[in-house]
Amino acid sequence: MTAMLPAPLVIGTSLAYLLLLVGVAYWADRRAAARRSVIARPSVYALSMAVYCTAWTYFGSVERAATGGMWFLPIYLGPTLAMVLGWTVLRKMIRIAKTHRITSIADFIASRYGKSQLLATLVTLVAVVGIVPYIALQLKAVSSGYALLTSGSAVAPAHLHWSQDSAFYVAIALAGFAIVFGARHLDTTERHEGMVAAIAFESLVKLAAFLCVGVFVVYGLFGGLGDIFAQARARPELADLLHAEQGGAYSWARWMGLMVLALCAALVLPRQFQVMVVENVHEDHVRRASWMFPLYLLLINLFVLPIALGGLLYFSSGEHNPEHFVLSLPMAAGQNALALFVFIGGLSAATGMVIVETVAVSTMVSNELALPLLLRLRL
């Protein structure tokens, strides 16, 4: 029987980690005030781009690999191609943004069409409508992971009252921290040095946590990569997961379509535009990021398929959801400390995404919706 973790331990550790992020941001702001900027380094800039890796990387990509094999890869190959082949485009975007003092993707697109207020409004509305469900997924991932650690089941009871839903309290906590990160001081350029430093730090944490659980599954539960793949090939239902062409006659067309969508998303998602363009200190940092960010994506996806296969082999009866293999595998082996560390990694991924996304979208809503409306109404 899997041992559960006490709820106060999980909550206390999570709050301590979030406070650590606030401490990192405060320290970075103090350094910036002393003209010793922390983020004026190419490596910090590249790490901040890893906000692209959300809680879906921790939970959803493993589930995707467990059901579709290699089909989780296009989501990450797109940004890799964008940086390796199109880093000059990003540098051009940064130059335009600095020249015209652009503060959001809505402002950037509108500036290409004569500063069209209508176009900026439409982009903002599309961003808000599209991003709210994605933020909800981050909150749900954290709450389900918490439920799994503390109760052994990630499925919430039916007709659960809102006051008993952990996702509600996760939303309140992350909203508070987003306000702390985004509204500590005003800046007409909408740059947040402390936030960028915190995002770079959390990128290291989530990478370390995912690599730790990957090494544990591959070399702790199994005899290495060769052992996992050999056992998977011996089972027909798992052998198909090792073939990239899985999915029928149109699999390669779908593969390319997903890659192109991911490539575009890496450049125009509000949170990516915020860290890659708005928060950029010097355009020369793009050169370092052109190989460092793809390397990060390679490392954080290195063990996705092995973890998925390992979970399917270890839980042969199918009673565990592949979405939570990164937590259920360490817990089943009695490695609760590792499971807690991995949960913090997933919380870190969700926190980074929610904070940067809300800061970026709130800037768009303020500049493109609220302020023009107030000026029009003479309020």
Side-chain angles (χ1 to χ4, degrees):
M1 183 176 179
T2 302
M4 308 307 162
L5 292 173
L9 174 63
V10 178
I11 295 174
T13 305
S14 301
L15 288 178
Y17 175 72
L18 292 177
L19 290 175
L20 175 61
L21 289 182
V22 174
V24 171
Y26 177 76
W27 170 74
D29 281 337
R30 290 288 300 272
R31 296 269 297 185
R35 298 187 181 277
R36 293 183 294 174
S37 176
V38 175
I39 70 171
R41 302 177 181 178
S43 56
V44 175
Y45 174 67
L47 285 172
S48 69
M49 290 184 182
V51 72
Y52 180 84
C53 300
T54 65
W56 190 90
T57 300
Y58 262 73
F59 306 108
S61 60
V62 174
E63 180 186 28
R64 179 79 166 175
T67 56
M70 302 288 188
W71 277 94
F72 73 95
L73 281 177
I75 304 300
Y76 303 98
L77 290 177
T80 299
L81 290 177
M83 293 306 300
V84 173
L85 302 179
W87 64 271
T88 55
V89 175
L90 175 59
R91 188 174 63 181
K92 180 66 173 177
M93 292 171 64
I94 293 171
R95 289 177 180 176
I96 294 172
K98 291 183 183 298
T99 301
H100 298 280
R101 301 179 66 85
I102 288 171
T103 59
S104 68
I105 184 62
D107 194 10
F108 181 84
I109 294 176
S111 70
R112 299 294 86 196
Y113 295 90
K115 285 286 184 178
S116 170
Q117 184 60 48
L118 176 60
L119 183 57
T121 301
L122 291 176
V123 173
T124 301
L125 292 175
V126 170
V128 171
V129 172
I131 219 62
V132 168
Y134 199 14
I135 292 177
L137 285 177
Q138 308 302 306
L139 304 179
K140 194 64 178 177
V142 173
S143 64
S144 61
Y146 168 79
L148 182 64
L149 286 179
T150 57
S151 66
S153 174
V155 180
H159 308 295
L160 187 68
H161 191 264
W162 64 266
S163 63
Q164 298 174 303
D165 189 354
S166 59
F168 172 73
Y169 298 102
V170 173
I172 292 178
L174 293 188
F177 280 99
I179 293 172
V180 170
F181 278 100
R184 288 197 310 278
H185 49 75
L186 295 176
D187 189 336
T188 56
T189 63
E190 295 297 344
R191 295 182 62 236
H192 311 81
E193 292 217 6
M195 181 187 72
V196 174
I199 296 304
F201 177 78
E202 68 88 11
S203 295
L204 291 175
V205 171
K206 65 189 179 188
L207 175 61
F210 205 88
L211 289 177
C212 283
V213 71
V215 171
F216 169 74
V217 171
V218 172
Y219 299 102
L221 298 181
F222 295 89
L225 291 173
D227 181 33
I228 290 182
F229 289 128
Q231 292 190 44
R233 290 191 189 96
R235 294 175 56 174
E237 69 275 15
L238 299 184
D240 289 341
L241 299 178
L242 302 177
H243 302 295
E245 66 272 12
Q246 182 188 22
Y250 299 100
S251 59
W252 291 112
R254 291 167 54 200
W255 185 285
M256 293 301 299
L258 285 173
M259 282 180 55
V260 171
L261 286 175
L263 186 153
C264 296
L267 296 176
V268 301
L269 277 175
R271 69 177 184 276
Q272 293 303 124
F273 189 87
Q274 180 72 30
V275 297
M276 296 169 70
V277 177
V278 177
E279 305 287 353
N280 177 266
V281 176
H282 198 286
E283 65 179 51
D284 287 345
H285 292 177
V286 176
R287 288 183 176 273
R288 174 78 63 87
S290 66
W291 63 264
M292 192 172 176
F293 180 45
L295 177 62
Y296 184 98
L297 294 178
L298 171 65
L299 291 175
I300 205 167
N301 285 283
L302 196 60
F303 290 107
V304 169
L305 187 59
I307 291 173
L309 294 175
L312 294 173
L313 292 169
Y314 194 86
F315 302 119
S316 56
S317 58
E319 73 275 12
H320 287 77
N321 187 346
E323 184 178 352
H324 297 104
F325 278 169
V326 292
L327 294 175
S328 56
L329 282 170
M331 292 180 67
Q335 300 293 326
N336 287 348
L338 176 59
L340 180 59
F341 182 40
V342 174
F343 172 75
I344 294 300
L347 172 65
S348 185
T351 300
M353 181 273 180
V354 171
I355 289 175
V356 179
E357 201 76 71
T358 51
V359 166
V361 173
S362 64
T363 300
M364 294 164 62
V365 171
S366 175
N367 293 351
E368 312 302 344
L369 297 181
L371 290 179
L373 180 61
L374 291 175
L375 291 173
R376 187 177 296 273
L377 297 176
R378 298 183 180 275
L379 298 177

